[in-house]
Amino acid sequence: MIHPWYPKKLDWYIIKRFLTTFVVAMALIIVIVIIFDLSEKIEKFVEHEAPVNEIIFKYYLNFIPYFINMFSPLFIFITVIFFTSKMASNSEIVAILSCGISFHRMMVPYLISSAALAGLSLLLNLWIIPYSNSVRVPWEMEYVKGGYQNSDRNIHYQISPGEFLYLESFSTWNNSGHNFTLEKIENGDLVSKLTAETAVWDSTKSSWRLKKYFIRDYTDPLDDSIISGRQLDTVINLSIQDFYTTKKTLPTLSQRKLVSLIDTQKMRGDAKLSDSLVEYHNRFSLPFSAFILTIMGVALSSKKKRGGIGWNLVIGIALSFSYILFMKFSEMFVATGTLPPWIAVWLPNVIYTFIAAFLYKIAPK
């Protein structure tokens, strides 16, 4: 005996229409977006003499996964609204329900399709997009934005327990910091202080070269010894890559590297920790939106309306845009310190889950 929830012809019919419509819609919009993006950036490509093969394979080929994932919630919603409204206008849904299939049972192929798209989004977020961004973002920085610039000033780090570093400024032009200070504290007491006029990264030795340095030792309260010199090579728990890691480079990090960075930033008390946590939680919260928007889309478009699918599309696009805007707007609460990153990132999903549950409850059964 076949279980009533086992996939049937109707399930495969809905799954096929769902996924086919989504793929076709995404393919069309990707072509349009690439054309507009190329027209906007063609002058930059020519100005910086970007090779044509790199434009295609390093930039646009790696741009596609990023774009698909960023706008997948919008197109999942539009896809569901579009083909479900057509089914409703053709009385297909009425026929389905008239055959004794419950509204809950009809949702099964929709949820299977949304699970497949959620899995794709998770795959993109955790593995494919970090790799493609690691190629695309540096290339874009070089050929579109003219190179990386670091404008950070008054940099404070706890590079290890009890070791605190300070730099007045850092220049990416020559990989050097100005007014370097390294303090070691034990049991709340300052035991040593290393200062230097400049700190230059030595890539051959993977160490820092301090110029015009002073070392003060406070271990003996009766003897404040001072050692000075013109140059000192030293190894500290801080690499040049720490100064190149910004909000824009976070999407280029693999999941393992992102988690490692978060642990390091927590230990250092880094002000950029919130950006890393937002990136981390976004990678998991975005796939979850596929289920929310699918349920909302079916609930809104499963009833036959006068005027066809027009109003369903308008309502669907408005709700999906509001959802995406809310996701971006909620991140502002992190920047202002109003909400912790995990709450700000997951808040839109929580709110729209209740909206989806309400719409599903009042949907025609």
CSV table of all heavy atoms in Angstrom, one decimal, residues 19-35 63-64 67-68 71 75 79:
chain,number,residue,atom,x,y,z
A,19,LEU,N,10.3,24.6,-9.8
A,19,LEU,CA,11.8,24.7,-10.1
A,19,LEU,C,12.1,25.2,-11.5
A,19,LEU,O,13.0,26.0,-11.7
A,19,LEU,CB,12.5,23.4,-9.9
A,19,LEU,CG,12.4,22.8,-8.5
A,19,LEU,CD1,13.1,21.4,-8.4
A,19,LEU,CD2,12.9,23.7,-7.4
A,20,THR,N,11.3,24.8,-12.5
A,20,THR,CA,11.5,25.3,-13.9
A,20,THR,C,11.2,26.8,-13.9
A,20,THR,O,12.0,27.6,-14.6
A,20,THR,CB,10.6,24.6,-14.9
A,20,THR,OG1,10.8,23.2,-14.8
A,20,THR,CG2,10.8,25.1,-16.3
A,21,THR,N,10.2,27.3,-13.3
A,21,THR,CA,9.8,28.7,-13.4
A,21,THR,C,10.9,29.5,-12.7
A,21,THR,O,11.3,30.6,-13.1
A,21,THR,CB,8.5,29.0,-12.7
A,21,THR,OG1,7.5,28.2,-13.3
A,21,THR,CG2,8.1,30.4,-12.8
A,22,PHE,N,11.4,29.0,-11.5
A,22,PHE,CA,12.5,29.7,-10.8
A,22,PHE,C,13.7,29.8,-11.6
A,22,PHE,O,14.4,30.9,-11.7
A,22,PHE,CB,12.8,28.9,-9.5
A,22,PHE,CG,13.9,29.5,-8.7
A,22,PHE,CD1,13.7,30.6,-7.9
A,22,PHE,CD2,15.2,28.9,-8.7
A,22,PHE,CE1,14.7,31.1,-7.1
A,22,PHE,CE2,16.2,29.4,-8.0
A,22,PHE,CZ,16.0,30.5,-7.2
A,23,VAL,N,14.2,28.7,-12.2
A,23,VAL,CA,15.4,28.7,-13.0
A,23,VAL,C,15.3,29.6,-14.2
A,23,VAL,O,16.2,30.4,-14.5
A,23,VAL,CB,15.7,27.2,-13.5
A,23,VAL,CG1,16.9,27.3,-14.5
A,23,VAL,CG2,16.1,26.4,-12.3
A,24,VAL,N,14.2,29.6,-14.9
A,24,VAL,CA,14.0,30.5,-16.1
A,24,VAL,C,14.0,31.9,-15.7
A,24,VAL,O,14.6,32.8,-16.3
A,24,VAL,CB,12.7,30.1,-16.8
A,24,VAL,CG1,12.4,31.2,-17.9
A,24,VAL,CG2,12.8,28.7,-17.5
A,25,ALA,N,13.3,32.3,-14.6
A,25,ALA,CA,13.2,33.6,-14.1
A,25,ALA,C,14.6,34.1,-13.7
A,25,ALA,O,15.0,35.3,-14.0
A,25,ALA,CB,12.2,33.8,-12.9
A,26,MET,N,15.4,33.3,-12.9
A,26,MET,CA,16.7,33.7,-12.5
A,26,MET,C,17.6,33.9,-13.7
A,26,MET,O,18.4,34.8,-13.7
A,26,MET,CB,17.3,32.7,-11.6
A,26,MET,CG,16.7,32.7,-10.2
A,26,MET,SD,16.9,34.2,-9.3
A,26,MET,CE,18.7,34.3,-9.2
A,27,ALA,N,17.5,33.0,-14.7
A,27,ALA,CA,18.4,33.1,-15.9
A,27,ALA,C,18.2,34.4,-16.6
A,27,ALA,O,19.1,35.0,-17.1
A,27,ALA,CB,18.2,31.9,-16.8
A,28,LEU,N,16.9,34.7,-16.8
A,28,LEU,CA,16.6,35.9,-17.5
A,28,LEU,C,17.1,37.2,-16.8
A,28,LEU,O,17.6,38.1,-17.4
A,28,LEU,CB,15.0,36.0,-17.7
A,28,LEU,CG,14.4,35.0,-18.7
A,28,LEU,CD1,12.9,35.1,-18.7
A,28,LEU,CD2,15.0,35.3,-20.1
A,29,ILE,N,16.8,37.2,-15.5
A,29,ILE,CA,17.2,38.4,-14.7
A,29,ILE,C,18.7,38.5,-14.6
A,29,ILE,O,19.3,39.6,-14.6
A,29,ILE,CB,16.6,38.4,-13.3
A,29,ILE,CG1,16.6,39.9,-12.7
A,29,ILE,CG2,17.2,37.5,-12.4
A,29,ILE,CD1,15.8,40.9,-13.5
A,30,ILE,N,19.4,37.4,-14.6
A,30,ILE,CA,20.9,37.4,-14.5
A,30,ILE,C,21.5,38.0,-15.8
A,30,ILE,O,22.4,38.9,-15.8
A,30,ILE,CB,21.5,36.0,-14.3
A,30,ILE,CG1,21.3,35.6,-12.9
A,30,ILE,CG2,23.0,35.9,-14.7
A,30,ILE,CD1,21.6,34.1,-12.6
A,31,VAL,N,20.9,37.7,-17.0
A,31,VAL,CA,21.4,38.2,-18.2
A,31,VAL,C,21.1,39.7,-18.2
A,31,VAL,O,22.0,40.5,-18.6
A,31,VAL,CB,20.6,37.6,-19.4
A,31,VAL,CG1,20.9,38.3,-20.7
A,31,VAL,CG2,21.0,36.1,-19.5
A,32,ILE,N,20.0,40.2,-17.8
A,32,ILE,CA,19.7,41.6,-17.7
A,32,ILE,C,20.6,42.4,-16.8
A,32,ILE,O,21.1,43.4,-17.1
A,32,ILE,CB,18.2,41.8,-17.3
A,32,ILE,CG1,17.2,41.3,-18.4
A,32,ILE,CG2,17.9,43.3,-17.1
A,32,ILE,CD1,15.8,41.2,-18.0
A,33,VAL,N,20.8,41.8,-15.6
A,33,VAL,CA,21.7,42.4,-14.6
A,33,VAL,C,23.1,42.5,-15.1
A,33,VAL,O,23.8,43.6,-15.0
A,33,VAL,CB,21.7,41.7,-13.3
A,33,VAL,CG1,22.8,42.1,-12.3
A,33,VAL,CG2,20.3,41.8,-12.6
A,34,ILE,N,23.6,41.5,-15.8
A,34,ILE,CA,25.0,41.5,-16.3
A,34,ILE,C,25.1,42.6,-17.4
A,34,ILE,O,26.1,43.3,-17.4
A,34,ILE,CB,25.4,40.1,-16.9
A,34,ILE,CG1,25.6,39.1,-15.7
A,34,ILE,CG2,26.6,40.2,-17.8
A,34,ILE,CD1,25.9,37.7,-16.2
A,35,ILE,N,24.1,42.7,-18.2
A,35,ILE,CA,24.1,43.8,-19.3
A,35,ILE,C,24.2,45.2,-18.6
A,35,ILE,O,25.0,46.0,-19.0
A,35,ILE,CB,22.9,43.7,-20.2
A,35,ILE,CG1,23.0,42.4,-21.0
A,35,ILE,CG2,22.8,44.9,-21.1
A,35,ILE,CD1,21.8,42.1,-21.8
A,63,PHE,N,30.3,36.2,-10.3
A,63,PHE,CA,29.3,37.1,-9.9
A,63,PHE,C,27.9,36.4,-9.8
A,63,PHE,O,27.1,36.7,-9.0
A,63,PHE,CB,29.2,38.3,-10.8
A,63,PHE,CG,28.0,39.3,-10.6
A,63,PHE,CD1,28.1,40.2,-9.6
A,63,PHE,CD2,26.9,39.2,-11.4
A,63,PHE,CE1,27.0,41.1,-9.4
A,63,PHE,CE2,25.8,40.1,-11.2
A,63,PHE,CZ,25.9,41.0,-10.2
A,64,ILE,N,27.7,35.4,-10.7
A,64,ILE,CA,26.5,34.7,-10.8
A,64,ILE,C,26.0,34.0,-9.5
A,64,ILE,O,24.9,34.2,-9.1
A,64,ILE,CB,26.5,33.7,-12.0
A,64,ILE,CG1,26.6,34.5,-13.3
A,64,ILE,CG2,25.3,32.8,-12.0
A,64,ILE,CD1,26.8,33.7,-14.5
A,67,PHE,N,24.9,36.6,-7.0
A,67,PHE,CA,23.6,37.3,-7.4
A,67,PHE,C,22.4,36.3,-7.1
A,67,PHE,O,21.4,36.7,-6.6
A,67,PHE,CB,23.6,37.7,-8.8
A,67,PHE,CG,22.4,38.3,-9.3
A,67,PHE,CD1,22.1,39.7,-9.1
A,67,PHE,CD2,21.4,37.6,-9.9
A,67,PHE,CE1,20.9,40.3,-9.5
A,67,PHE,CE2,20.2,38.2,-10.4
A,67,PHE,CZ,20.0,39.5,-10.1
A,68,ILE,N,22.6,35.0,-7.5
A,68,ILE,CA,21.5,34.1,-7.3
A,68,ILE,C,21.1,34.0,-5.9
A,68,ILE,O,20.0,34.0,-5.5
A,68,ILE,CB,22.0,32.7,-7.9
A,68,ILE,CG1,22.0,32.7,-9.4
A,68,ILE,CG2,21.0,31.6,-7.4
A,68,ILE,CD1,22.6,31.4,-10.0
A,71,PHE,N,19.3,37.3,-4.4
A,71,PHE,CA,18.0,37.6,-4.8
A,71,PHE,C,17.1,36.3,-4.8
A,71,PHE,O,15.9,36.4,-5.3
A,71,PHE,CB,17.9,38.3,-6.2
A,71,PHE,CG,18.4,39.7,-6.1
A,71,PHE,CD1,19.7,40.0,-6.5
A,71,PHE,CD2,17.5,40.7,-5.7
A,71,PHE,CE1,20.1,41.3,-6.5
A,71,PHE,CE2,18.0,42.0,-5.7
A,71,PHE,CZ,19.3,42.3,-6.1
A,75,PHE,N,12.9,35.9,-5.8
A,75,PHE,CA,12.4,35.1,-7.0
A,75,PHE,C,11.7,33.8,-6.6
A,75,PHE,O,10.9,33.3,-7.3
A,75,PHE,CB,13.6,34.8,-7.9
A,75,PHE,CG,14.0,36.0,-8.7
A,75,PHE,CD1,15.0,36.8,-8.4
A,75,PHE,CD2,13.3,36.2,-9.9
A,75,PHE,CE1,15.3,37.9,-9.1
A,75,PHE,CE2,13.6,37.3,-10.7
A,75,PHE,CZ,14.6,38.2,-10.3
A,79,THR,N,8.1,33.4,-8.0
A,79,THR,CA,7.9,32.1,-8.7
A,79,THR,C,6.6,31.4,-8.2
A,79,THR,O,5.7,31.0,-9.0
A,79,THR,CB,9.1,31.2,-8.6
A,79,THR,OG1,10.2,31.7,-9.2
A,79,THR,CG2,8.8,29.8,-9.2
